[in-house]
Amino acid sequence: MMKAISYSAYGGADVLEYGERPDPKVGPDSVLVKVRAAAVNPVDWKAREGYLQSQLEAVFPVIPGWDVSGVVVQPGIAVDEFAVGDEVIGYVREDFLSRGTFAEYVAAPVRTLARKPLNLSFEEAAGLPLAGLTAYQVLHRWLRIQEGETVLVHAAAGGVGSLAVQLARHAGARVIGTAGEHNHDHVRQLGGEPVAYGEGLADRIRALAPDGVDAAFDTVGGEALRASADVLKPGGRLTSITDGEVFSYGGRYAFVRPDATDLAQLGALAEQGVVSVHVDRIFPLEQAADAYRLNEEGRTRGKIVVTIPWDG
Ligand SMILES: NC(=O)c1ccc[n+]([C@@H]2O[C@H](COP(=O)([O-])OP(=O)(O)OC[C@H]3O[C@@H](n4cnc5c(N)ncnc54)[C@H](OP(=O)(O)O)[C@@H]3O)[C@@H](O)[C@H]2O)c1
């Protein structure tokens, strides 16, 4: 048996329980990862509250969490990509909810994994996969940003936004990022030009980019999405990861996919110092419910991470 966080019915953070769960079985093309750290993502609590019921079946009790950093302790019988002792990161999403990363061990299909960047701590590394892959895939696959373009990134201090700002800058784009005033210096450090969200947002963006923006990455929805559509140049590209209304503006909706090649590329960019992960707060696994409550407030800078004591 292993220690894990789990829930047996949809609901708020109070349904989360810390206790014992059976060790996961390791499929032929999976590896058993001893978890060092797991990052909180808003999708975890949205799924827990039942918002994804129509898309993802929940096999209760569900262990939440899709982000992980840890150490391989047992490769599946048909795995030669990883060996015992390898340090890895993963966006361990399957098409149902059950065996997440908020546990001492997770069985992770190799398609969800890459080598852990050597220069990142386990806490930083755990924050990279889901948010980093989302930023990477939206910027390069969906928006197809080009050098010299102006890109609008919403929630530029958040998990996805902060990585998107850094990746877009690395691709040679100019980046305008929305954030609260308290985060403006942080957004500048990431390489973006901060703009306050709220009433008058489109006017403030136009003051910075009078001809409009070439591409907009919506991570907030609602007003942010409307303002994005408003400031797009003719022929500009719009992608949302959070609001299906994007289709009515001629944009597209993206959902991040596990992809070992993309994850390895992201890891390499982290090792080159192109992207860094800001760890906002660290909680022990037992306090995962508090970690989720904090993220649900919507003010996370970078990532919130839970850690598991390491006994070697
Ligand atoms: N479809 C997908 O594949 C996918 C993948 C990843 C995430 N998502 C979704 O994308 C959203 C963002 O995810 P995340 O992990 O980046 O969340 P997060 O880290 O929890 O976002 C927190 C940030 O949002 C900022 N924020 C809050 N309200 C804002 C507003 N009105 N305008 C601009 N910024 C605002 C906050 O900045 P201040 O403190 O400065 O207000 C804070 O830094 C979530 O809804 C998540 O579920 C979807």
Side-chain angles (χ1 to χ4, degrees), residues 29-72:
D29 54 5
S30 292
V31 301
L32 190 66
V33 176
K34 187 165 169 55
V35 178
R36 294 291 304 269
V40 167
N41 286 288
V43 71
D44 299 344
W45 48 263
K46 292 178 186 177
R48 189 198 65 219
E49 287 175 356
Y51 291 127
L52 300 180
Q53 287 191 57
S54 64
Q55 296 170 59
L56 296 176
E57 187 176 347
V59 183
F60 293 114
V62 171
I63 298 173
W66 284 343
D67 260 338
V68 72
S69 67
V71 179
V72 173

Short mmCIF file of all heavy atoms in Angstrom, two decimals, residues 29-72:
data_model
loop_
_atom_site.label_atom_id
_atom_site.label_comp_id
_atom_site.label_asym_id
_atom_site.label_seq_id
_atom_site.Cartn_x
_atom_site.Cartn_y
_atom_site.Cartn_z
N ASP A 29 4.04 -0.87 -21.15
CA ASP A 29 4.78 0.29 -21.67
C ASP A 29 4.70 1.48 -20.72
O ASP A 29 4.72 2.64 -21.12
CB ASP A 29 4.33 0.67 -23.09
CG ASP A 29 2.84 0.89 -23.18
OD1 ASP A 29 2.16 0.84 -22.13
OD2 ASP A 29 2.35 1.11 -24.31
N SER A 30 4.62 1.17 -19.44
CA SER A 30 4.64 2.20 -18.39
C SER A 30 5.84 1.96 -17.48
O SER A 30 6.47 0.90 -17.54
CB SER A 30 3.37 2.13 -17.55
OG SER A 30 2.24 2.51 -18.30
N VAL A 31 6.13 2.97 -16.66
CA VAL A 31 7.13 2.78 -15.62
C VAL A 31 6.53 3.21 -14.29
O VAL A 31 5.67 4.09 -14.25
CB VAL A 31 8.43 3.59 -15.87
CG1 VAL A 31 9.08 3.21 -17.19
CG2 VAL A 31 8.19 5.09 -15.79
N LEU A 32 6.98 2.57 -13.23
CA LEU A 32 6.54 3.00 -11.90
C LEU A 32 7.48 4.10 -11.44
O LEU A 32 8.70 3.92 -11.39
CB LEU A 32 6.58 1.82 -10.92
CG LEU A 32 5.92 2.12 -9.57
CD1 LEU A 32 4.42 2.35 -9.72
CD2 LEU A 32 6.18 0.97 -8.58
N VAL A 33 6.89 5.26 -11.14
CA VAL A 33 7.67 6.43 -10.71
C VAL A 33 7.43 6.64 -9.22
O VAL A 33 6.28 6.69 -8.78
CB VAL A 33 7.24 7.69 -11.49
CG1 VAL A 33 7.98 8.92 -10.97
CG2 VAL A 33 7.47 7.51 -12.98
N LYS A 34 8.53 6.73 -8.47
CA LYS A 34 8.41 7.14 -7.06
C LYS A 34 8.34 8.66 -7.09
O LYS A 34 9.27 9.34 -7.57
CB LYS A 34 9.61 6.65 -6.28
CG LYS A 34 9.49 6.88 -4.79
CD LYS A 34 10.54 6.03 -4.04
CE LYS A 34 10.66 6.40 -2.57
NZ LYS A 34 9.43 6.35 -1.80
N VAL A 35 7.23 9.19 -6.62
CA VAL A 35 6.95 10.62 -6.79
C VAL A 35 7.78 11.44 -5.79
O VAL A 35 7.79 11.14 -4.59
CB VAL A 35 5.44 10.90 -6.58
CG1 VAL A 35 5.15 12.39 -6.69
CG2 VAL A 35 4.60 10.09 -7.57
N ARG A 36 8.48 12.44 -6.29
CA ARG A 36 9.15 13.41 -5.41
C ARG A 36 8.29 14.65 -5.23
O ARG A 36 8.19 15.22 -4.16
CB ARG A 36 10.51 13.81 -6.01
CG ARG A 36 11.53 12.70 -6.07
CD ARG A 36 12.02 12.29 -4.68
NE ARG A 36 12.56 13.39 -3.93
CZ ARG A 36 13.84 13.76 -3.90
NH1 ARG A 36 14.73 13.06 -4.58
NH2 ARG A 36 14.25 14.79 -3.18
N ALA A 37 7.69 15.11 -6.34
CA ALA A 37 6.83 16.31 -6.26
C ALA A 37 5.75 16.20 -7.33
O ALA A 37 5.93 15.56 -8.36
CB ALA A 37 7.67 17.57 -6.47
N ALA A 38 4.60 16.81 -7.03
CA ALA A 38 3.48 16.86 -7.98
C ALA A 38 2.92 18.28 -7.94
O ALA A 38 2.81 18.86 -6.87
CB ALA A 38 2.40 15.86 -7.57
N ALA A 39 2.63 18.82 -9.12
CA ALA A 39 2.16 20.21 -9.16
C ALA A 39 0.64 20.27 -9.24
O ALA A 39 -0.01 19.39 -9.79
CB ALA A 39 2.78 20.95 -10.34
N VAL A 40 0.11 21.35 -8.69
CA VAL A 40 -1.33 21.62 -8.72
C VAL A 40 -1.67 22.29 -10.04
O VAL A 40 -0.97 23.21 -10.48
CB VAL A 40 -1.70 22.57 -7.56
CG1 VAL A 40 -3.10 23.13 -7.73
CG2 VAL A 40 -1.54 21.87 -6.23
N ASN A 41 -2.74 21.85 -10.68
CA ASN A 41 -3.26 22.53 -11.87
C ASN A 41 -4.76 22.76 -11.69
O ASN A 41 -5.45 21.91 -11.11
CB ASN A 41 -3.03 21.67 -13.12
CG ASN A 41 -1.58 21.70 -13.54
OD1 ASN A 41 -1.09 22.69 -14.05
ND2 ASN A 41 -0.87 20.60 -13.30
N PRO A 42 -5.27 23.88 -12.21
CA PRO A 42 -6.70 24.14 -12.06
C PRO A 42 -7.58 23.00 -12.59
O PRO A 42 -8.65 22.74 -12.05
CB PRO A 42 -6.92 25.42 -12.87
CG PRO A 42 -5.60 26.13 -12.81
CD PRO A 42 -4.57 25.04 -12.85
N VAL A 43 -7.09 22.29 -13.62
CA VAL A 43 -7.91 21.20 -14.17
C VAL A 43 -8.16 20.12 -13.12
O VAL A 43 -9.21 19.46 -13.15
CB VAL A 43 -7.25 20.59 -15.44
CG1 VAL A 43 -6.00 19.79 -15.10
CG2 VAL A 43 -8.24 19.74 -16.22
N ASP A 44 -7.24 19.95 -12.16
CA ASP A 44 -7.43 18.93 -11.12
C ASP A 44 -8.69 19.21 -10.32
O ASP A 44 -9.49 18.30 -10.05
CB ASP A 44 -6.25 18.90 -10.14
CG ASP A 44 -4.92 18.58 -10.77
OD1 ASP A 44 -4.89 18.07 -11.90
OD2 ASP A 44 -3.88 18.85 -10.11
N TRP A 45 -8.84 20.49 -9.90
CA TRP A 45 -10.02 20.77 -9.06
C TRP A 45 -11.28 20.93 -9.90
O TRP A 45 -12.37 20.66 -9.44
CB TRP A 45 -9.79 21.92 -8.09
CG TRP A 45 -9.21 23.21 -8.59
CD1 TRP A 45 -7.90 23.59 -8.53
CD2 TRP A 45 -9.92 24.32 -9.17
NE1 TRP A 45 -7.75 24.86 -9.05
CE2 TRP A 45 -8.96 25.34 -9.45
CE3 TRP A 45 -11.26 24.56 -9.48
CZ2 TRP A 45 -9.31 26.56 -10.03
CZ3 TRP A 45 -11.60 25.78 -10.06
CH2 TRP A 45 -10.62 26.76 -10.32
N LYS A 46 -11.12 21.32 -11.17
CA LYS A 46 -12.32 21.35 -12.03
C LYS A 46 -12.83 19.92 -12.24
O LYS A 46 -14.04 19.67 -12.19
CB LYS A 46 -11.98 22.00 -13.37
CG LYS A 46 -11.69 23.49 -13.23
CD LYS A 46 -11.33 24.11 -14.56
CE LYS A 46 -10.89 25.55 -14.38
NZ LYS A 46 -10.46 26.18 -15.65
N ALA A 47 -11.92 19.00 -12.47
CA ALA A 47 -12.30 17.59 -12.64
C ALA A 47 -12.92 17.06 -11.35
O ALA A 47 -13.94 16.36 -11.37
CB ALA A 47 -11.08 16.76 -13.02
N ARG A 48 -12.32 17.40 -10.21
CA ARG A 48 -12.83 16.94 -8.91
C ARG A 48 -14.24 17.45 -8.66
O ARG A 48 -15.07 16.79 -8.04
CB ARG A 48 -11.88 17.41 -7.80
CG ARG A 48 -12.15 16.83 -6.42
CD ARG A 48 -11.47 17.67 -5.37
NE ARG A 48 -12.03 19.00 -5.31
CZ ARG A 48 -11.33 20.13 -5.13
NH1 ARG A 48 -10.03 20.08 -4.95
NH2 ARG A 48 -11.94 21.31 -5.12
N GLU A 49 -14.53 18.66 -9.16
CA GLU A 49 -15.87 19.22 -8.96
C GLU A 49 -16.87 18.69 -9.98
O GLU A 49 -18.05 19.01 -9.93
CB GLU A 49 -15.78 20.75 -9.01
CG GLU A 49 -15.14 21.29 -7.74
CD GLU A 49 -14.89 22.79 -7.76
OE1 GLU A 49 -15.15 23.42 -8.80
OE2 GLU A 49 -14.44 23.31 -6.73
N GLY A 50 -16.39 17.89 -10.94
CA GLY A 50 -17.29 17.23 -11.88
C GLY A 50 -17.47 17.94 -13.20
O GLY A 50 -18.26 17.50 -14.04
N TYR A 51 -16.71 19.02 -13.42
CA TYR A 51 -16.90 19.79 -14.65
C TYR A 51 -16.50 19.04 -15.92
O TYR A 51 -16.90 19.41 -17.00
CB TYR A 51 -16.13 21.12 -14.59
CG TYR A 51 -16.69 22.09 -13.58
CD1 TYR A 51 -15.88 22.67 -12.62
CD2 TYR A 51 -18.04 22.44 -13.60
CE1 TYR A 51 -16.40 23.55 -11.67
CE2 TYR A 51 -18.56 23.32 -12.67
CZ TYR A 51 -17.74 23.87 -11.71
OH TYR A 51 -18.26 24.74 -10.78
N LEU A 52 -15.69 17.99 -15.77
CA LEU A 52 -15.24 17.26 -16.96
C LEU A 52 -15.97 15.92 -17.12
O LEU A 52 -15.55 15.07 -17.90
CB LEU A 52 -13.73 17.02 -16.89
CG LEU A 52 -12.85 18.26 -16.81
CD1 LEU A 52 -11.37 17.88 -16.76
CD2 LEU A 52 -13.09 19.18 -18.01
N GLN A 53 -17.09 15.76 -16.37
CA GLN A 53 -17.81 14.48 -16.38
C GLN A 53 -18.17 13.99 -17.76
O GLN A 53 -18.19 12.80 -18.03
CB GLN A 53 -19.14 14.62 -15.63
CG GLN A 53 -19.03 14.72 -14.17
CD GLN A 53 -20.39 14.58 -13.52
OE1 GLN A 53 -21.08 13.59 -13.70
NE2 GLN A 53 -20.78 15.57 -12.75
N SER A 54 -18.51 14.93 -18.65
CA SER A 54 -18.97 14.51 -19.98
C SER A 54 -17.80 14.05 -20.85
O SER A 54 -18.00 13.47 -21.91
CB SER A 54 -19.72 15.65 -20.66
OG SER A 54 -18.83 16.74 -20.88
N GLN A 55 -16.57 14.34 -20.40
CA GLN A 55 -15.41 14.00 -21.23
C GLN A 55 -14.53 12.91 -20.63
O GLN A 55 -13.92 12.13 -21.36
CB GLN A 55 -14.54 15.25 -21.45
CG GLN A 55 -15.27 16.35 -22.22
CD GLN A 55 -14.49 17.64 -22.20
OE1 GLN A 55 -13.36 17.70 -22.65
NE2 GLN A 55 -15.09 18.69 -21.65
N LEU A 56 -14.41 12.90 -19.30
CA LEU A 56 -13.50 11.95 -18.65
C LEU A 56 -14.27 11.15 -17.60
O LEU A 56 -14.85 11.73 -16.68
CB LEU A 56 -12.35 12.69 -17.97
CG LEU A 56 -11.39 13.48 -18.85
CD1 LEU A 56 -10.38 14.22 -17.98
CD2 LEU A 56 -10.67 12.57 -19.83
N GLU A 57 -14.24 9.83 -17.75
CA GLU A 57 -14.89 9.00 -16.75
C GLU A 57 -14.06 9.00 -15.47
O GLU A 57 -12.82 8.91 -15.52
CB GLU A 57 -15.01 7.57 -17.28
CG GLU A 57 -15.82 6.70 -16.37
CD GLU A 57 -16.03 5.31 -16.94
OE1 GLU A 57 -15.74 5.12 -18.14
OE2 GLU A 57 -16.46 4.44 -16.19
N ALA A 58 -14.72 9.10 -14.33
CA ALA A 58 -14.02 9.01 -13.05
C ALA A 58 -14.19 7.60 -12.49
O ALA A 58 -15.32 7.12 -12.35
CB ALA A 58 -14.59 10.03 -12.07
N VAL A 59 -13.09 6.92 -12.23
CA VAL A 59 -13.14 5.61 -11.59
C VAL A 59 -12.77 5.83 -10.12
O VAL A 59 -11.60 5.98 -9.78
CB VAL A 59 -12.15 4.64 -12.27
CG1 VAL A 59 -12.25 3.25 -11.65
CG2 VAL A 59 -12.40 4.58 -13.78
N PHE A 60 -13.80 5.93 -9.27
CA PHE A 60 -13.57 6.26 -7.85
C PHE A 60 -13.01 5.07 -7.09
O PHE A 60 -13.35 3.93 -7.42
CB PHE A 60 -14.88 6.72 -7.21
CG PHE A 60 -15.39 8.02 -7.75
CD1 PHE A 60 -16.59 8.07 -8.47
CD2 PHE A 60 -14.68 9.20 -7.57
CE1 PHE A 60 -17.07 9.28 -8.96
CE2 PHE A 60 -15.16 10.41 -8.06
CZ PHE A 60 -16.35 10.45 -8.76
N PRO A 61 -12.18 5.29 -6.07
CA PRO A 61 -11.67 6.59 -5.65
C PRO A 61 -10.61 7.11 -6.62
O PRO A 61 -9.79 6.33 -7.11
CB PRO A 61 -11.05 6.31 -4.27
CG PRO A 61 -10.73 4.86 -4.30
CD PRO A 61 -11.71 4.19 -5.20
N VAL A 62 -10.67 8.42 -6.88
CA VAL A 62 -9.75 9.05 -7.82
C VAL A 62 -8.58 9.67 -7.06
O VAL A 62 -8.79 10.41 -6.10
CB VAL A 62 -10.48 10.16 -8.62
CG1 VAL A 62 -9.48 10.96 -9.45
CG2 VAL A 62 -11.57 9.57 -9.50
N ILE A 63 -7.38 9.36 -7.51
CA ILE A 63 -6.19 10.08 -7.03
C ILE A 63 -5.99 11.24 -8.01
O ILE A 63 -5.83 11.01 -9.21
CB ILE A 63 -4.94 9.17 -7.01
CG1 ILE A 63 -5.16 8.00 -6.05
CG2 ILE A 63 -3.70 9.97 -6.64
CD1 ILE A 63 -4.05 6.95 -6.08
N PRO A 64 -6.03 12.50 -7.53
CA PRO A 64 -5.89 13.62 -8.46
C PRO A 64 -4.45 13.83 -8.90
O PRO A 64 -3.53 13.21 -8.34
CB PRO A 64 -6.38 14.81 -7.64
CG PRO A 64 -6.04 14.44 -6.23
CD PRO A 64 -6.18 12.94 -6.13
N GLY A 65 -4.25 14.72 -9.87
CA GLY A 65 -2.92 15.15 -10.25
C GLY A 65 -2.42 14.53 -11.55
O GLY A 65 -2.51 13.31 -11.74
N TRP A 66 -1.93 15.40 -12.43
CA TRP A 66 -1.39 14.94 -13.71
C TRP A 66 0.10 15.29 -13.87
O TRP A 66 0.75 14.79 -14.78
CB TRP A 66 -2.19 15.57 -14.87
CG TRP A 66 -3.53 14.95 -15.09
CD1 TRP A 66 -3.96 13.74 -14.63
CD2 TRP A 66 -4.62 15.48 -15.85
NE1 TRP A 66 -5.25 13.49 -15.06
CE2 TRP A 66 -5.68 14.54 -15.80
CE3 TRP A 66 -4.83 16.66 -16.57
CZ2 TRP A 66 -6.90 14.73 -16.45
CZ3 TRP A 66 -6.05 16.86 -17.21
CH2 TRP A 66 -7.08 15.91 -17.15
N ASP A 67 0.61 16.18 -13.03
CA ASP A 67 2.01 16.62 -13.14
C ASP A 67 2.88 15.87 -12.13
O ASP A 67 2.49 15.76 -10.96
CB ASP A 67 2.12 18.12 -12.77
CG ASP A 67 2.20 19.02 -13.99
OD1 ASP A 67 2.58 18.55 -15.09
OD2 ASP A 67 1.89 20.22 -13.84
N VAL A 68 4.06 15.47 -12.57
CA VAL A 68 4.94 14.75 -11.64
C VAL A 68 6.41 14.97 -11.94
O VAL A 68 6.80 15.20 -13.09
CB VAL A 68 4.62 13.22 -11.67
CG1 VAL A 68 5.11 12.58 -12.96
CG2 VAL A 68 5.22 12.50 -10.47
N SER A 69 7.22 14.91 -10.87
CA SER A 69 8.66 14.67 -11.02
C SER A 69 9.01 13.57 -10.03
O SER A 69 8.41 13.48 -8.95
CB SER A 69 9.47 15.93 -10.71
OG SER A 69 9.37 16.25 -9.34
N GLY A 70 9.93 12.72 -10.42
CA GLY A 70 10.27 11.62 -9.54
C GLY A 70 11.34 10.73 -10.13
O GLY A 70 12.05 11.12 -11.06
N VAL A 71 11.41 9.52 -9.57
CA VAL A 71 12.50 8.60 -9.93
C VAL A 71 11.89 7.25 -10.35
O VAL A 71 11.00 6.73 -9.67
CB VAL A 71 13.43 8.40 -8.71
CG1 VAL A 71 14.55 7.42 -9.04
CG2 VAL A 71 14.01 9.74 -8.26
N VAL A 72 12.38 6.72 -11.45
CA VAL A 72 11.89 5.43 -11.93
C VAL A 72 12.34 4.32 -10.98
O VAL A 72 13.53 4.21 -10.67
CB VAL A 72 12.41 5.15 -13.36
CG1 VAL A 72 12.05 3.72 -13.80
CG2 VAL A 72 11.86 6.18 -14.35
#
